[in-house]
């Protein structure tokens, strides 16, 4: 447990001459507020709304430094864009864990990759460990800060004040509530909860007004941890990689993340659940590691097509620990992969090895429907092997597979970017893309705005914060003032 006794802090401090370690430094301010920011370039007048991002940020307390990059408490970033101006604010999600540890002045709860003694998901109320640090979703009149094994936290959209665990009107808690809900164009939110200890997959549907319409549980044999899923007009799609949770490791006090075992001899499984009948259908794919899914859709013949990020080398998953020690040596990550599931039970997967990519995103208006473009961040093949992260924003033409890409450069670590829908026109094609990136040379985070149709031409506007933010995870754009 070198993460609790100062040893990990010392190792990380010794590596601080590497500029990229800035991405994993702890944010020890409870709140940030920039005031109006100087805009470089021209901020589009029709770009109006708030870009939110969540991510682990409190990596250290007292002598403790978390062992894994996904452990830190969630901090919500909010960039308000309107009338040609931008301002930034950030605030930690005031989870039960965060409040107790702030009062104690030290870490007291286990996290994904850091265990406190034998305290684990097997022995602790899961929401006592909830870090609310992976995703964020604006639904109804609230912002939801999302973890994976626990409940959603509700926040005020404007002040980012934490309102508490999200209270749903439903027979049972909507828990676990994954960090990757999918919101269909009519506002209906679909999400799932994966409990690999009990081997139970839960599915939820919530209307645009917050009414819980569906809450179903499925016993799934050998259910591995599942991070993401997809929706189509009639189906829910889950990719189950050949992983399993070694419960005996959890019982022995290993952290959850170190209790997941790669079983490469087994195929990957794809589970398709019919939203009308709740019937289950299975497919098998060659063994691979699967992470995010951008989108899925089905044609009139019932063929389901979707993209996902997959790779053949599970070693990349170990970077989460080494980065927190200030160590990095690149191992090829995920590639964009196209998957087709046919009604006759056959399927096909085609990996585009030309792109090393992650964080796939589509326009909100096409979720679950046929889509033309997929936005992701990618890594240049010649990025130095001792430099982590992605350095490109890439838009892929889904029809022909061609890509247009903007290279930020080796001084940058690029984060997920998202489409910004037009206020009051959710069905209109989004014209702008927004996202953040950490500039390692200036030690500052910048927000960039791109023309969605001309990514390769670079940002039309950029705003530089007066500070650096820890590299975060998932974001969303809420249109309107
Ligand atoms: Fe994710």
């Amino acid at each position: 447990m070198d993460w609790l006794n100062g040893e990990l802090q010392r190792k990380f401090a010794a590596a601080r001459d590497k500029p990229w370690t800035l991405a994993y430094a702890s944010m020890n301010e409870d709140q940030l507020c920039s005031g109006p920011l100087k805009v470089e370039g021209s901020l589009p007048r029709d770009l109006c709304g708030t870009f939110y991002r969540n991510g682990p940020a409190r990596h250290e307390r007292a002598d403790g430094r978390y062992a894994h990059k996904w452990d830190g408490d969630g901090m919500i970033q909010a960039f308000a864009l309107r009338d040609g101006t931008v301002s930034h604010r950030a605030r930690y999600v005031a989870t039960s864990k965060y409040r107790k540890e702030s009062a104690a002045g030290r870490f007291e709860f286990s996290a994904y990759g850091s265990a406190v003694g034998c305290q684990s998901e097997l022995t602790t109320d899961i929401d006592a460990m909830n870090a609310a640090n992976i995703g964020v979703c604006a639904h109804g009149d609230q912002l939801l800060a999302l973890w994976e094994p626990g409940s959603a936290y509700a926040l005020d959209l404007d002040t980012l004040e934490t309102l508490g665990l999200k209270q749903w009107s439903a027979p049972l808690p909507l828990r676990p509530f994954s960090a990757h809900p999918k919101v269909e164009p009519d506002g209906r939110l679909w999400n799932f909860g994966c409990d690999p200890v009990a081997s139970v997959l839960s599915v939820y549907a919530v209307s645009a007004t917050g009414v819980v319409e569906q809450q179903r549980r499925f016993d799934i044999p050998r259910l591995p941890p599942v991070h993401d899923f997809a929706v189509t007009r009639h189906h829910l799609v889950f990719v189950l990689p050949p992983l399993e949770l070694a419960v005996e490791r959890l019982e022995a006090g290993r952290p959850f993340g170190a209790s997941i075992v790669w079983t490469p001899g087994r195929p990957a499984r794809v589970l398709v659940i019919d939203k009308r009948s709740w019937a289950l259908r299975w497919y098998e794919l060659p063994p691979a590691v699967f992470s995010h899914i951008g989108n899925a859709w089905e044609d009139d013949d019932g063929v389901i097509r979707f993209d996902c990020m997959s790779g053949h080398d599970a070693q990349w998953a170990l970077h989460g620990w080494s980065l927190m020690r200030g160590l990095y040596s690149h191992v090829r990550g995920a590639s964009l992969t196209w998957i087709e599931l046919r009604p006759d039970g056959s399927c096909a997967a085609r990996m585009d090895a030309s792109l090393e990519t992650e964080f796939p995103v589509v326009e909100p208006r096409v979720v679950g429907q046929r889509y033309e473009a997929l936005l992701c961040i990618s890594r240049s093949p010649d990025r130095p092997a001792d430099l982590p992260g992605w350095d490109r924003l890439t838009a892929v033409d889904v029809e022909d597979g061609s890509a247009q890409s903007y290279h930020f450069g080796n001084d940058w670590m690029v984060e997920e970017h998202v489409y910004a829908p037009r206020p009051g026109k959710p069905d209109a094609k989004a014209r702008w893309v927004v996202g953040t990136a950490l500039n390692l040379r200036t030690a500052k985070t910048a927000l960039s705005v791109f023309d969605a149709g001309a990514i390769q031409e670079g940002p039309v506007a950029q705003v530089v914060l007066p500070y650096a933010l820890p590299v975060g995870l998932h974001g969303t754009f809420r249109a309107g003032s």
Side-chain angles (χ1 to χ4, degrees):
M1 292 220 292
D2 62 348
W3 68 279
L4 270 179
N5 63 12
E7 189 179 336
L8 198 51
Q9 274 185 5
R10 287 189 287 277
K11 287 178 180 171
F12 188 70
R16 290 307 300 268
D17 59 330
K18 303 172 188 175
W20 64 260
T21 56
L22 189 60
Y24 304 99
S26 186
M27 172 56 69
N28 294 326
E29 304 290 332
D30 284 327
Q31 298 188 42
L32 298 168
C33 193
S34 72
L37 294 163
K38 182 171 177 292
V39 178
E40 297 171 9
S42 178
L43 198 66
R45 285 273 163 184
D46 60 347
L47 177 60
C48 180
T50 304
F51 171 61
Y52 300 97
R53 184 190 301 289
N54 195 355
R58 175 84 70 171
H59 297 300
E60 298 186 6
R61 283 189 191 275
D63 288 340
R65 174 172 174 78
Y66 276 132
H68 195 282
K69 69 175 183 176
W70 294 337
D71 290 347
D73 297 284
M75 184 178 229
I76 304 294
Q77 316 292 336
F79 293 84
L81 301 99
R82 51 186 60 93
D83 302 326
T85 67
V86 184
S87 62
H88 169 261
R89 74 161 53 204
R91 197 163 179 173
Y92 274 102
V93 185
T95 61
S96 158
K97 170 186 178 297
Y98 187 80
R99 287 184 279 112
K100 286 181 179 172
E101 291 181 337
S102 294
R106 62 178 186 271
F107 290 133
E108 296 193 328
F109 294 92
S110 291
Y112 170 83
S114 309
V116 176
C118 288
Q119 180 202 79
S120 76
E121 296 189 16
L122 292 175
T123 59
T124 310
D125 167 21
I126 196 68
D127 279 326
M129 303 164 62
N130 193 334
N133 64 355
I134 301 176
V136 63
C137 174
H139 194 247
D141 58 358
Q142 289 181 331
L143 192 65
L144 302 179
L146 304 169
W147 196 38
E148 186 166 288
S151 306
Y153 265 91
L155 278 66
D156 183 279
L157 283 161
D158 296 320
T159 66
L160 306 183
E161 179 187 358
T162 301
L163 306 174
L165 288 173
K166 173 65 182 176
Q167 302 298 317
W168 307 97
S169 180
L172 294 170
L174 271 61
R175 186 179 73 179
F177 195 84
S178 98
H180 282 285
K182 304 294 186 237
V183 180
E184 294 177 320
D186 68 357
R188 179 178 288 106
L189 178 150
W190 288 91
N191 202 6
F192 71 98
C194 177
D195 182 348
V197 176
S199 227
V200 170
L201 184 72
S202 299
V203 167
Y204 320 113
V206 183
S207 76
T209 56
V211 176
V212 178
E213 300 174 329
Q214 297 289 343
Q215 182 177 23
R216 292 180 179 265
R217 288 163 55 93
F218 300 89
D219 294 314
I220 304 295
R222 295 183 288 108
L223 179 67
V226 178
H227 181 64
D228 200 357
F229 80 133
V231 299
T232 69
R233 186 169 40 138
H234 296 311
H235 296 91
L236 310 176
V237 182
F238 300 86
V239 181
L240 279 50
L243 302 172
E244 64 182 33
L245 183 66
V247 175
E248 66 278 10
R249 292 195 184 192
L250 277 180
E251 289 171 339
R254 299 280 294 274
F256 181 87
S259 301
I260 301 168
V261 181
W262 168 238
T263 56
R266 291 185 183 158
R269 294 175 289 166
V270 182
L271 170 61
V272 175
I273 300 179
D274 193 311
K275 290 153 76 175
R276 301 159 295 184
S277 67
W278 305 105
L280 276 55
R281 195 160 96 217
W282 289 94
Y283 296 84
E284 284 191 356
L285 293 171
V289 181
F290 294 90
S291 57
H292 294 110
I293 300 174
N295 198 23
W297 67 285
E298 61 190 86
D299 65 20
D300 291 340
D301 296 325
V303 179
I304 295 173
R305 296 179 175 85
F306 65 101
D307 66 81
C308 75
M309 300 295 158
S310 76
H312 297 301
D313 190 341
Q315 289 297 312
W316 98 62
L318 300 177
H319 284 149
W321 280 281
S322 64
L323 289 167
M324 294 297 281
R325 295 166 187 272
L327 302 172
Y328 188 77
S329 180
H330 186 63
V331 174
R332 166 92 192 196
S335 296
L336 178 54
T337 302
W338 305 100
I339 296 178
E340 187 173 302
L341 310 174
R342 305 179 192 108
D344 66 2
S346 64
C347 60
R350 180 175 55 81
M351 180 185 289
D352 180 355
S354 68
L355 288 174
E356 185 178 351
T357 52
E358 252 300 354
F359 293 90
V361 166
V362 296
E363 285 191 62
R365 70 183 175 91
V366 299
V367 169
Q369 301 178 11
R370 188 167 189 166
Y371 55 116
E372 299 173 351
L374 182 73
L375 192 68
C376 49
I377 57 176
S378 59
R379 181 179 170 104
S380 298
D382 60 354
R383 186 166 171 89
D386 61 355
L387 186 55
W390 292 269
D391 52 8
R392 290 180 173 273
L393 176 63
T394 298
V396 178
D397 184 312
V398 177
E399 295 296 327
D400 65 15
S402 64
Q404 53 165 300
S405 183
Y406 174 72
H407 185 212
F408 280 73
N410 284 339
D411 287 334
W412 294 83
M413 292 176 74
V414 182
E415 300 173 274
E416 180 188 82
H417 282 54
V418 301
Y419 289 97
R422 300 185 198 186
K425 297 181 179 176
D427 298 332
K429 191 169 183 171
R431 176 136 188 234
W432 309 110
V433 163
V434 299
T436 48
L438 176 61
N439 187 324
L440 303 176
R441 186 176 50 78
T442 62
K444 292 184 170 60
T445 296
L447 176 87
S448 302
V449 178
F450 289 82
D451 183 330
I455 296 293
Q456 74 281 6
E457 292 179 12
V460 297
Q462 202 165 57
V463 174
V464 179
L465 291 177
Y467 33 74
L469 302 173
V471 163
L473 295 172
H474 300 293
T476 189
F477 188 90
R478 182 174 184 268
S481 54

